[in-house]
């Protein structure tokens, strides 16, 4: 969800305003993905690299957990299942306990839901996820004697049930991969739009899906 800062600065606003509106767009896009019947939607809310940003900005982004998890009632009514991926899963997160508690509450509340699978990557870095998975696979291999395989690594990712990504969307014209779902996006087509995330709307998502040619084969979109 790139371009929040540029969106705000272009309007003479504080970067944090871009993140605030970015959270609203995220909620909209979750609704739209749900309406379109997309099975999985994963969004990169806060990366392990984002900790190096100015404290004010970090604190602001982290505070947005209240906004997104404040929408749990609505998502629950819509049968959306919320998951979080990132360091919190491995117990190594630097996030304050109150945020981890809010996450756990939203995840537990929607655990039985069978609609859209919405995953928020929060304090997430793909390389750390792969280290976590490799450690898990090595430990399992020692116990069982079976060799370390692609399946064994996949089984020890933070959220093993996240399927391969069918479409990876990057906003604000970023033509590069980031430290996001590197295992799950192997082979995924990359769609780049010059639109900044706070302007990403239904039309933008439609354009991304049309680019893919048809929505029929899409189970999992990541932004
Ligand atoms: C990248 O844009 C965006 C982020 C680092 C934060 C993304 C957060 C949201 C969209 C809000 C929702 C998040 C949560 C946690 C609920 P940037 O700041 O790098 O913008 P720039 O590339 O224009 O500088």
């Amino acid at each position: 969800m790139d371009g929040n800062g540029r969106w705000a600065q272009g309007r003479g606003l504080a970067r944090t305003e871009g993140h605030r509106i970015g959270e609203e767009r995220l909620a909209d896009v979750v609704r739209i993905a749900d309406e379109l019947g997309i099975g999985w939607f994963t969004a990169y809310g806060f990366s392990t690299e984002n900790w190096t940003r100015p404290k004010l900005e970090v604190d602001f982004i982290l505070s947005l957990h209240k906004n997104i998890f404040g929408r749990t009632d609505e998502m629950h009514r819509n049968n959306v299942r919320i998951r979080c991926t990132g360091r919190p899963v491995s117990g190594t997160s630097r996030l304050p306990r109150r945020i981890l508690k809010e996450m756990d509450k939203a995840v537990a509340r929607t655990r039985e839901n069978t609609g859209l699978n919405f995953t928020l990557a929060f304090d997430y870095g793909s390389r750390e996820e792969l280290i976590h998975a490799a450690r898990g696979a090595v430990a399992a291999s020692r116990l069982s004697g079976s060799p370390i395989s692609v399946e064994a690594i996949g089984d020890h990712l933070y959220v093993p049930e996240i399927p391969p990504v069918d479409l990876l969307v990057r906003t604000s014209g970023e033509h590069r991969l980031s430290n996001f779902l590197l295992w799950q996006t192997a082979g995924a087509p990359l769609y780049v739009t010059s639109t900044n995330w706070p302007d990403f709307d239904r039309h933008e998502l439609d354009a991304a899906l049309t680019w893919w040619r048809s929505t029929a084969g899409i189970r999992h979109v990541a932004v």
Side-chain angles (χ1 to χ4, degrees), residues 1-6 15 19 22-23 26 44-45 50 53 57 61 64-65 68 120 122 197:
M1 297 183 285
D2 293 296
N4 292 346
R6 277 166 278 176
R15 290 175 58 84
H19 297 314
E23 187 281 331
L26 173 60
Y44 206 176
N50 287 157
R53 293 190 178 207
E57 188 174 347
I61 298 174
L64 290 173
H65 79 278
I68 195 74
L120 184 66
F122 206 93
W197 175 253

Side-chain angles (χ1 to χ4, degrees), residues 1-9 15 18-26 44-47 50 53 57 60-69 118 120-122 170-172 174 176 196-198:
M1 297 183 285
D2 293 296
N4 292 346
R6 277 166 278 176
W7 180 91
Q9 281 163 341
R15 290 175 58 84
H19 297 314
R20 191 181 68 76
I21 301 296
E23 187 281 331
E24 291 182 1
R25 286 295 78 73
L26 173 60
Y44 206 176
F46 189 78
S47 74
N50 287 157
R53 293 190 178 207
E57 188 174 347
F60 188 87
I61 298 174
L62 296 187
S63 78
L64 290 173
H65 79 278
K66 280 183 265 170
N67 303 36
I68 195 74
F69 298 128
F118 165 50
L120 184 66
F122 206 93
R170 283 220 73 164
T171 55
S172 79
E174 295 292 347
R176 61 184 170 83
N196 290 321
W197 175 253

Side-chain angles (χ1 to χ4, degrees), residues 40 83-86 89 119 129 132 154-163 184:
W40 288 78
R83 291 181 181 78
C84 292
T85 185
V89 177
T119 306
E129 178 178 35
H132 171 83
D155 285 348
H156 292 88
L157 294 168
Y158 289 145
V159 184
E161 61 269 34
I162 292 180
Q184 298 86 341

Side-chain angles (χ1 to χ4, degrees), residues 2 168-174 176-178 190-194:
D2 293 296
L168 178 63
V169 176
R170 283 220 73 164
T171 55
S172 79
E174 295 292 347
R176 61 184 170 83
L177 296 177
S178 61
L190 172 63
Y191 176 83
V192 179
T193 171
S194 58

Side-chain angles (χ1 to χ4, degrees), residues 11-214:
R11 286 165 176 74
L13 302 169
R15 290 175 58 84
T16 47
E17 192 56 12
H19 297 314
R20 191 181 68 76
I21 301 296
E23 187 281 331
E24 291 182 1
R25 286 295 78 73
L26 173 60
D28 287 343
V29 175
V30 168
R31 284 184 204 107
I32 297 163
D34 181 32
E35 282 169 31
L36 293 176
I38 290 170
W40 288 78
F41 179 80
T42 305
Y44 206 176
F46 189 78
S47 74
T48 48
E49 291 77 24
N50 287 157
W51 287 106
T52 60
R53 293 190 178 207
K55 185 172 177 337
L56 245 158
E57 188 174 347
V58 168
D59 287 349
F60 188 87
I61 298 174
L62 296 187
S63 78
L64 290 173
H65 79 278
K66 280 183 265 170
N67 303 36
I68 195 74
F69 298 128
R71 302 178 194 277
T72 300
D73 277 354
E74 179 198 338
M75 289 193 261
H76 188 47
R77 275 197 305 278
N78 291 336
N79 199 23
V80 172
R81 180 167 177 181
I82 301 173
R83 291 181 181 78
C84 292
T85 185
R87 281 170 172 167
V89 177
S90 64
T92 58
S93 182
R94 290 162 58 188
L95 291 173
R97 281 172 69 91
R98 66 192 151 76
I99 299 187
L100 297 173
K101 273 170 101 172
E102 290 300 317
M103 273 184 179
D104 287 348
K105 253 172 64 185
V107 169
R109 173 112 194 270
T110 60
R111 194 180 298 280
E112 304 298 325
N113 291 347
T114 54
L116 174 70
N117 292 282
F118 165 50
T119 306
L120 184 66
F122 206 93
D123 196 9
Y124 175 88
S126 205
R127 288 177 166 181
E128 286 198 26
E129 178 178 35
L130 292 176
I131 292 169
H132 171 83
R135 286 193 182 121
V138 167
S141 157
R142 283 198 184 122
L143 277 178
S144 66
S146 50
I148 296 165
S149 58
V150 168
E151 289 72 26
I153 298 280
D155 285 348
H156 292 88
L157 294 168
Y158 289 145
V159 184
E161 61 269 34
I162 292 180
V165 172
D166 297 316
L167 173 64
L168 178 63
V169 176
R170 283 220 73 164
T171 55
S172 79
E174 295 292 347
H175 285 262
R176 61 184 170 83
L177 296 177
S178 61
N179 192 14
F180 183 42
L181 300 182
L182 292 175
W183 182 271
Q184 298 86 341
T185 56
L190 172 63
Y191 176 83
V192 179
T193 171
S194 58
T195 300
N196 290 321
W197 175 253
D199 286 329
F200 194 91
D201 58 8
R202 182 184 293 268
H203 169 78
E204 285 286 334
L205 184 59
D206 277 345
L209 298 177
T210 302
W211 175 80
W212 168 256
R213 278 187 250 146
S214 127

